[in-house]
Amino acid sequence: MGGGLSARLGGQGLIASPIPMHAERFAAMGTRVELHLFGTVERAAIDAARRAIEAVDDALTIHRPSATTALNDCLMAGRPCHVDDPLLLDALIEIETAHALTQGLFDPAADAARPGAGWGAVRFDRSAARIAASQPVAFDFGGFGKGFALDRACDALRDAGVTSAFLCAGESSIAVIGEHPLGEAGRSPYPIRSRPSAFWWNSSCVTRRSRSRRRWVRGRVRPGARL
């Protein structure tokens, strides 16, 4: 859906030339995904962003057969596993980094039903793309997966020359490219569905629904920051 975004100047009304805007909505990762792109954008850029999100969904979902369910089957059975899927491998590398940065607060392998389960039980060799665990563990990427997907969609949009965009996956995860087209950076602390002007941070990604419920910004978790 295309349209325009106009700037209001004090009490003088709207400017005459609206900023082009395109809104794309579709279902993925068990939620509603919205892409709000500002300025002139080619259809190929939108399609590339959508493909990036759907590829992460296919790799990280635990709700249908995927690379992640195959990995979980191996680890739950006590077998080591070679990670063949490049998206899953990238996700595990980011999780290893985030787990270290937060001193273990961020842990998508933690499970209250299995004491001791978590990344601490995992042995991960990123260079060999191999992973094993000292006890049964399973990954549930949750909100991390949504933020991970939005990050990759942003990469696709930037590669296509997009300089201003607002992306969200449900109401738990958002990402933005550049500054708000009307210069309203950081106007409100909370996103409002279908109103990208209500929330804007410069080139960031935030997700709140994960087992650790921590804020994920620019591929890093900030300890103690909560939504």
Side-chain angles (χ1 to χ4, degrees):
M1 180 180 70
L5 187 67
S6 299
R8 184 177 298 277
L9 303 176
Q12 304 304 312
L14 298 177
I15 62 174
S17 299
I19 299 169
M21 182 180 78
H22 183 96
E24 182 86 353
R25 299 177 177 88
F26 56 94
M29 310 194 77
T31 192
R32 169 180 164 131
V33 176
E34 297 188 16
L35 314 178
H36 298 266
L37 314 177
F38 304 96
T40 302
V41 178
E42 299 293 333
R43 180 70 221 183
I46 300 166
D47 292 342
R50 179 168 179 165
R51 286 195 301 271
I53 291 170
E54 291 173 341
V56 172
D57 188 12
D58 289 341
L60 301 190
T61 183
I62 60 170
H63 302 295
R64 60 182 185 275
S66 69
T68 297
T69 59
L71 171 64
N72 285 346
D73 287 346
C74 282
L75 296 179
M76 289 296 291
R79 300 192 305 270
C81 182
H82 185 269
V83 183
D84 297 316
D85 188 282
L87 284 173
L88 177 56
L89 180 60
D90 285 349
L92 291 171
I93 290 171
E94 290 202 16
I95 286 166
E96 181 182 48
T97 301
H99 185 269
L101 284 171
T102 62
Q103 301 179 12
L105 291 175
F106 177 79
D107 193 341
D111 189 340
R114 293 193 297 274
W119 188 264
V122 170
R123 300 185 301 277
F124 177 51
D125 184 340
R126 63 170 71 184
S127 61
R130 293 192 64 82
I131 188 169
S134 58
Q135 68 177 74
V137 299
F139 289 97
D140 181 353
F141 292 109
F144 165 85
K146 294 179 178 67
F148 185 76
L150 294 184
D151 274 342
R152 272 138 189 80
C154 285
D155 288 343
L157 292 172
R158 289 190 189 96
D159 289 345
V162 174
T163 59
S164 182
F166 175 100
L167 293 70
C168 64
E171 295 183 343
S172 68
S173 304
I174 68 164
V176 301
I177 295 174
E179 295 184 353
H180 192 283
L182 303 184
E184 298 173 345
R187 206 185 85 178
S188 172
Y190 297 105
I192 300 175
R193 180 183 292 276
S194 302
R195 287 184 57 195
S197 63
F199 185 102
W200 206 275
W201 286 356
N202 193 336
S203 298
S204 300
C205 180
V206 179
T207 187
R208 68 178 175 87
R209 286 188 182 176
S210 65
R211 285 177 178 166
S212 58
R213 299 184 67 81
R214 296 300 186 218
R215 181 175 294 168
W216 183 267
V217 180
R218 290 176 179 266
R220 294 176 178 269
V221 179
R222 293 183 178 176
R226 297 194 179 193
L227 293 181

